[in-house]
Amino acid sequence: MQLKLKLTVAAAIAVVAGMASAQEQVVKIGHVAPMSGPQASYGKDNENGARMAVDDLNTQGVTIGGKKIKFELMAEDDAADPKQGTAAAQKLCDAKVAGVVGHLNSGTTIPASKVYNDCGIPHVTGAATNPALTKPGYKTTFRIIANDNALGAGLAAYAAETLKLKTVAVIDDRTAYGQGVADVFKKTAATLGMKVVDEQFTTDKATDFMAILTSIKGKNPDAIFFGGMHPQAAPMLRQMEQLGMSKTKYFGGDGICTQEIIQLVAGAKTLDNVVCAEGGSSIAKMPGGEAWKKRYDAKYPGQFQIYSPYTYDATMLLVDAMKRANSVDPKVYTPELLKSNFKGVTANIAFESNGEIKNPAMTLNVYRGGKKVPLN
């Protein structure tokens, strides 16, 4: 009798547990960034931001459409490679994720955006800055950071109007991001009276810039603008010091504006000549920046780079739209994204009709005493 009673109780518990799990729905959110290769530190930081958001959401007991939702992050590596990026996007489409956070690079995000559009899944990037991303007019593409029109123009204005520089050499890494931000800088600098004395290009895999820099040194520019990422900027700065280019200012967009560049320059004094621009506000000026950063550093010590507050907000933004639509179906909730008025960690997020963030902020930074310091 006792054994029978135990079996009955166990069966009852199993039934209740089954009912509970039936009422819980798993919703997958995709994330894509370079998790391998020279840009892996960016990718890890981005993934940390999205994962932190998912963890926070799962402690909130979110209910949508009458069901308790458990969020899961499906993270993919695109290695900053456009082909791998589109393959990762297709994998997420096939897995029927509810939405995607990413990608990091413009060169991967732009081709992936067509894949997401074709399968009807929204994606939100807080890192890819090439203005061409939103030109096709896909209703599934959203950006929550300033694009290169703001970054390149802001840097050129600072060089010409504040520092009164007259000449500049321009280098880009031939990626969608690098070429895009360099072109905006170059055009704006020219309209402000700066002379472009040399134009060179490299790749996003290169580490030896001696030939390029020797050619530029012969033109004696006041500054160099580099359109690219910090794994190239750091050795370039070291080689500039070796060539005696210790007074040449060095400009770049958010791709070089990281914490890791401080370690990678290995003490080169030329780091003091860097002026870089980030889309968005500095952590101190973000609405929830400093409190969020303390939580991030406790969870992921020493891993912060630049974009994780944006991937955190992008994840939260997707779920905010799901809540307002009372649906996790991308077809139902995607139109709600365009109506967002979301108070995020980074900013109050609302969109233009093309998916660009309204009133994007921009921050200029320099490096002083081995630390990144905002100028505005």
mmCIF file of all heavy atoms in Angstrom, residues 274-297:
data_model
loop_
_atom_site.group_PDB
_atom_site.id
_atom_site.type_symbol
_atom_site.label_atom_id
_atom_site.label_comp_id
_atom_site.label_asym_id
_atom_site.label_seq_id
_atom_site.Cartn_x
_atom_site.Cartn_y
_atom_site.Cartn_z
ATOM 1 N N VAL A 274 46.347 59.358 -30.489
ATOM 2 C CA VAL A 274 45.100 58.810 -31.044
ATOM 3 C C VAL A 274 43.892 59.656 -30.644
ATOM 4 O O VAL A 274 43.737 60.042 -29.485
ATOM 5 C CB VAL A 274 44.894 57.350 -30.578
ATOM 6 C CG1 VAL A 274 43.496 56.854 -30.946
ATOM 7 C CG2 VAL A 274 45.960 56.437 -31.180
ATOM 8 N N VAL A 275 43.041 59.936 -31.632
ATOM 9 C CA VAL A 275 41.708 60.489 -31.393
ATOM 10 C C VAL A 275 40.727 59.561 -32.106
ATOM 11 O O VAL A 275 40.840 59.346 -33.308
ATOM 12 C CB VAL A 275 41.548 61.920 -31.958
ATOM 13 C CG1 VAL A 275 40.150 62.454 -31.651
ATOM 14 C CG2 VAL A 275 42.609 62.853 -31.403
ATOM 15 N N CYS A 276 39.805 58.969 -31.356
ATOM 16 C CA CYS A 276 38.872 58.014 -31.973
ATOM 17 C C CYS A 276 37.436 58.361 -31.591
ATOM 18 O O CYS A 276 37.189 58.997 -30.567
ATOM 19 C CB CYS A 276 39.222 56.584 -31.569
ATOM 20 S SG CYS A 276 39.215 56.254 -29.788
ATOM 21 N N ALA A 277 36.524 57.938 -32.441
ATOM 22 C CA ALA A 277 35.110 58.266 -32.243
ATOM 23 C C ALA A 277 34.294 57.002 -32.035
ATOM 24 O O ALA A 277 34.478 56.014 -32.737
ATOM 25 C CB ALA A 277 34.565 59.029 -33.441
ATOM 26 N N GLU A 278 33.387 57.051 -31.073
ATOM 27 C CA GLU A 278 32.425 55.974 -30.842
ATOM 28 C C GLU A 278 31.019 56.516 -31.080
ATOM 29 O O GLU A 278 30.714 57.633 -30.684
ATOM 30 C CB GLU A 278 32.456 55.508 -29.386
ATOM 31 C CG GLU A 278 33.719 54.849 -28.926
ATOM 32 C CD GLU A 278 33.660 54.577 -27.426
ATOM 33 O OE1 GLU A 278 33.975 55.471 -26.642
ATOM 34 O OE2 GLU A 278 33.269 53.459 -27.065
ATOM 35 N N GLY A 279 30.181 55.679 -31.687
ATOM 36 C CA GLY A 279 28.768 56.010 -31.708
ATOM 37 C C GLY A 279 28.221 55.842 -30.308
ATOM 38 O O GLY A 279 28.599 54.904 -29.597
ATOM 39 N N GLY A 280 27.355 56.751 -29.886
ATOM 40 C CA GLY A 280 26.802 56.655 -28.545
ATOM 41 C C GLY A 280 27.559 57.507 -27.541
ATOM 42 O O GLY A 280 28.548 58.155 -27.866
ATOM 43 N N SER A 281 27.084 57.487 -26.321
ATOM 44 C CA SER A 281 27.687 58.274 -25.240
ATOM 45 C C SER A 281 28.739 57.448 -24.520
ATOM 46 O O SER A 281 28.762 56.224 -24.615
ATOM 47 C CB SER A 281 26.603 58.683 -24.224
ATOM 48 O OG SER A 281 25.557 59.381 -24.860
ATOM 49 N N SER A 282 29.608 58.136 -23.779
ATOM 50 C CA SER A 282 30.539 57.430 -22.906
ATOM 51 C C SER A 282 29.728 56.744 -21.803
ATOM 52 O O SER A 282 28.595 57.136 -21.512
ATOM 53 C CB SER A 282 31.533 58.413 -22.289
ATOM 54 O OG SER A 282 30.852 59.352 -21.474
ATOM 55 N N ILE A 283 30.317 55.713 -21.190
ATOM 56 C CA ILE A 283 29.631 54.970 -20.115
ATOM 57 C C ILE A 283 29.094 55.936 -19.058
ATOM 58 O O ILE A 283 27.957 55.796 -18.575
ATOM 59 C CB ILE A 283 30.591 53.945 -19.469
ATOM 60 C CG1 ILE A 283 30.829 52.754 -20.412
ATOM 61 C CG2 ILE A 283 30.072 53.453 -18.132
ATOM 62 C CD1 ILE A 283 29.728 51.732 -20.481
ATOM 63 N N ALA A 284 29.899 56.935 -18.706
ATOM 64 C CA ALA A 284 29.501 57.886 -17.654
ATOM 65 C C ALA A 284 28.271 58.695 -18.038
ATOM 66 O O ALA A 284 27.518 59.131 -17.165
ATOM 67 C CB ALA A 284 30.666 58.826 -17.334
ATOM 68 N N LYS A 285 28.060 58.902 -19.346
ATOM 69 C CA LYS A 285 26.928 59.723 -19.788
ATOM 70 C C LYS A 285 25.732 58.901 -20.264
ATOM 71 O O LYS A 285 24.693 59.460 -20.601
ATOM 72 C CB LYS A 285 27.392 60.671 -20.897
ATOM 73 C CG LYS A 285 28.308 61.770 -20.361
ATOM 74 C CD LYS A 285 28.560 62.848 -21.384
ATOM 75 C CE LYS A 285 29.394 63.958 -20.778
ATOM 76 N NZ LYS A 285 29.721 65.014 -21.758
ATOM 77 N N MET A 286 25.885 57.574 -20.329
ATOM 78 C CA MET A 286 24.733 56.731 -20.661
ATOM 79 C C MET A 286 23.745 56.749 -19.502
ATOM 80 O O MET A 286 24.167 56.776 -18.342
ATOM 81 C CB MET A 286 25.193 55.271 -20.889
ATOM 82 C CG MET A 286 25.934 55.035 -22.168
ATOM 83 S SD MET A 286 26.477 53.289 -22.262
ATOM 84 C CE MET A 286 27.430 53.331 -23.780
ATOM 85 N N PRO A 287 22.434 56.696 -19.785
ATOM 86 C CA PRO A 287 21.441 56.755 -18.706
ATOM 87 C C PRO A 287 21.670 55.725 -17.600
ATOM 88 O O PRO A 287 21.535 56.026 -16.429
ATOM 89 C CB PRO A 287 20.115 56.500 -19.428
ATOM 90 C CG PRO A 287 20.358 56.881 -20.845
ATOM 91 C CD PRO A 287 21.812 56.640 -21.115
ATOM 92 N N GLY A 288 22.037 54.503 -18.004
ATOM 93 C CA GLY A 288 22.257 53.467 -16.980
ATOM 94 C C GLY A 288 23.653 52.891 -17.043
ATOM 95 O O GLY A 288 23.905 51.767 -16.582
ATOM 96 N N GLY A 289 24.583 53.649 -17.628
ATOM 97 C CA GLY A 289 25.909 53.127 -17.959
ATOM 98 C C GLY A 289 26.744 52.630 -16.795
ATOM 99 O O GLY A 289 27.221 51.497 -16.795
ATOM 100 N N GLU A 290 26.922 53.477 -15.796
ATOM 101 C CA GLU A 290 27.861 53.123 -14.729
ATOM 102 C C GLU A 290 27.364 51.965 -13.869
ATOM 103 O O GLU A 290 28.139 51.060 -13.523
ATOM 104 C CB GLU A 290 28.175 54.358 -13.877
ATOM 105 C CG GLU A 290 29.022 55.368 -14.653
ATOM 106 C CD GLU A 290 29.412 56.584 -13.840
ATOM 107 O OE1 GLU A 290 28.597 57.010 -12.986
ATOM 108 O OE2 GLU A 290 30.517 57.109 -14.068
ATOM 109 N N ALA A 291 26.088 51.954 -13.550
ATOM 110 C CA ALA A 291 25.521 50.851 -12.753
ATOM 111 C C ALA A 291 25.593 49.546 -13.548
ATOM 112 O O ALA A 291 25.936 48.486 -13.002
ATOM 113 C CB ALA A 291 24.075 51.157 -12.368
ATOM 114 N N TRP A 292 25.287 49.627 -14.846
ATOM 115 C CA TRP A 292 25.339 48.439 -15.692
ATOM 116 C C TRP A 292 26.777 47.924 -15.788
ATOM 117 O O TRP A 292 27.023 46.714 -15.697
ATOM 118 C CB TRP A 292 24.798 48.772 -17.080
ATOM 119 C CG TRP A 292 24.838 47.599 -18.015
ATOM 120 C CD1 TRP A 292 23.875 46.650 -18.188
ATOM 121 C CD2 TRP A 292 25.915 47.231 -18.882
ATOM 122 N NE1 TRP A 292 24.292 45.714 -19.104
ATOM 123 C CE2 TRP A 292 25.538 46.041 -19.546
ATOM 124 C CE3 TRP A 292 27.174 47.778 -19.155
ATOM 125 C CZ2 TRP A 292 26.362 45.406 -20.476
ATOM 126 C CZ3 TRP A 292 27.995 47.144 -20.075
ATOM 127 C CH2 TRP A 292 27.584 45.973 -20.716
ATOM 128 N N LYS A 293 27.734 48.841 -15.975
ATOM 129 C CA LYS A 293 29.140 48.444 -16.146
ATOM 130 C C LYS A 293 29.671 47.732 -14.899
ATOM 131 O O LYS A 293 30.451 46.784 -14.989
ATOM 132 C CB LYS A 293 29.972 49.691 -16.461
ATOM 133 C CG LYS A 293 31.486 49.464 -16.560
ATOM 134 C CD LYS A 293 31.889 48.859 -17.878
ATOM 135 C CE LYS A 293 33.370 49.001 -18.186
ATOM 136 N NZ LYS A 293 34.314 48.939 -17.122
ATOM 137 N N LYS A 294 29.233 48.162 -13.716
ATOM 138 C CA LYS A 294 29.648 47.472 -12.476
ATOM 139 C C LYS A 294 29.162 46.026 -12.485
ATOM 140 O O LYS A 294 29.891 45.109 -12.111
ATOM 141 C CB LYS A 294 29.072 48.197 -11.250
ATOM 142 C CG LYS A 294 29.879 49.393 -10.814
ATOM 143 C CD LYS A 294 29.279 50.019 -9.570
ATOM 144 C CE LYS A 294 29.985 51.341 -9.261
ATOM 145 N NZ LYS A 294 29.308 52.084 -8.201
ATOM 146 N N ARG A 295 27.928 45.833 -12.914
ATOM 147 C CA ARG A 295 27.383 44.471 -12.979
ATOM 148 C C ARG A 295 28.122 43.640 -14.033
ATOM 149 O O ARG A 295 28.433 42.472 -13.806
ATOM 150 C CB ARG A 295 25.883 44.498 -13.314
ATOM 151 C CG ARG A 295 25.013 45.064 -12.200
ATOM 152 C CD ARG A 295 23.563 44.605 -12.327
ATOM 153 N NE ARG A 295 22.946 44.930 -13.595
ATOM 154 C CZ ARG A 295 22.390 44.039 -14.417
ATOM 155 N NH1 ARG A 295 22.385 42.746 -14.130
ATOM 156 N NH2 ARG A 295 21.826 44.428 -15.547
ATOM 157 N N TYR A 296 28.413 44.264 -15.177
ATOM 158 C CA TYR A 296 29.134 43.563 -16.247
ATOM 159 C C TYR A 296 30.518 43.129 -15.762
ATOM 160 O O TYR A 296 30.925 41.975 -15.950
ATOM 161 C CB TYR A 296 29.268 44.477 -17.467
ATOM 162 C CG TYR A 296 30.021 43.838 -18.618
ATOM 163 C CD1 TYR A 296 29.345 43.238 -19.677
ATOM 164 C CD2 TYR A 296 31.422 43.832 -18.651
ATOM 165 C CE1 TYR A 296 30.033 42.645 -20.730
ATOM 166 C CE2 TYR A 296 32.114 43.236 -19.691
ATOM 167 C CZ TYR A 296 31.414 42.645 -20.727
ATOM 168 O OH TYR A 296 32.098 42.042 -21.760
ATOM 169 N N ASP A 297 31.254 44.056 -15.141
ATOM 170 C CA ASP A 297 32.619 43.747 -14.693
ATOM 171 C C ASP A 297 32.640 42.653 -13.624
ATOM 172 O O ASP A 297 33.586 41.860 -13.559
ATOM 173 C CB ASP A 297 33.302 45.010 -14.156
ATOM 174 C CG ASP A 297 33.657 45.995 -15.261
ATOM 175 O OD1 ASP A 297 33.725 45.569 -16.433
ATOM 176 O OD2 ASP A 297 33.860 47.185 -14.959
#
